[in-house]
Amino acid sequence: QVQLVESGGGLVQAGGSLRLSCAASGSTISIYGMGWYRQAPGKQRELVATISTTGNTNYADSVKGRFTISRDNAENTVYLQMNSLKLEDTAVYYCKGARGLNTYWGQGTQVTVSS
């Protein structure tokens, strides 16, 4: 079982950048597919980006070219670099780890983009 803790959220102006971190404990993330998801008020949780155990990445169309997901297995951490932030990126961002039928979520970190 893996425990996930997100950090790095905050308030940023449109056009700015933030880097989110997802620190894992209890297990090595090297065996987990990892991902970032977000949920805006009144909306369903949606996929932002995923990274496989082999480093293959996948992005939602809305963030392609602006966000980058990466993993540092030695640090047991997954990152989400977010550039050129837009108002519509405002949401709670969640880290997810998945292996087989098992899925683990962090508690989320708030990202608020202001004009």
Side-chain angles (χ1 to χ4, degrees), residues 62-68 81-86 89:
S62 59
V63 307
K64 280 180 182 176
R66 300 188 298 122
F67 290 11
T68 303
Q81 178 66 44
M82 306 187 295
N83 299 328
S84 303
L85 282 160
K86 303 177 180 180
D89 294 319

Side-chain angles (χ1 to χ4, degrees), residues 9-18 82 85-87 89-90 111-115:
L11 176 65
V12 63
Q13 285 192 325
S17 298
L18 281 175
M82 306 187 295
L85 282 160
K86 303 177 180 180
L87 296 179
D89 294 319
T90 295
V111 171
T112 303
V113 184
S114 66
S115 58

Side-chain angles (χ1 to χ4, degrees), residues 9-95:
L11 176 65
V12 63
Q13 285 192 325
S17 298
L18 281 175
R19 188 176 81 154
L20 305 184
S21 299
C22 172
S25 61
S27 179
T28 173
I29 64 167
S30 64
I31 60 175
Y32 289 85
M34 302 297 297
W36 286 96
Y37 292 71
R38 67 186 181 187
Q39 187 166 17
K43 295 188 177 181
Q44 290 188 329
R45 192 172 298 188
E46 64 176 5
L47 180 147
V48 175
T50 61
I51 185 165
S52 72
T53 55
T54 57
N56 292 324
T57 58
N58 179 55
Y59 296 92
D61 288 343
S62 59
V63 307
K64 280 180 182 176
R66 300 188 298 122
F67 290 11
T68 303
I69 188 171
S70 62
R71 63 192 301 156
D72 185 335
N73 290 337
E75 294 293 327
N76 227 25
T77 302
V78 177
Y79 301 98
L80 184 69
Q81 178 66 44
M82 306 187 295
N83 299 328
S84 303
L85 282 160
K86 303 177 180 180
L87 296 179
E88 52 264 41
D89 294 319
T90 295
V92 178
Y93 284 71
Y94 297 90
C95 178

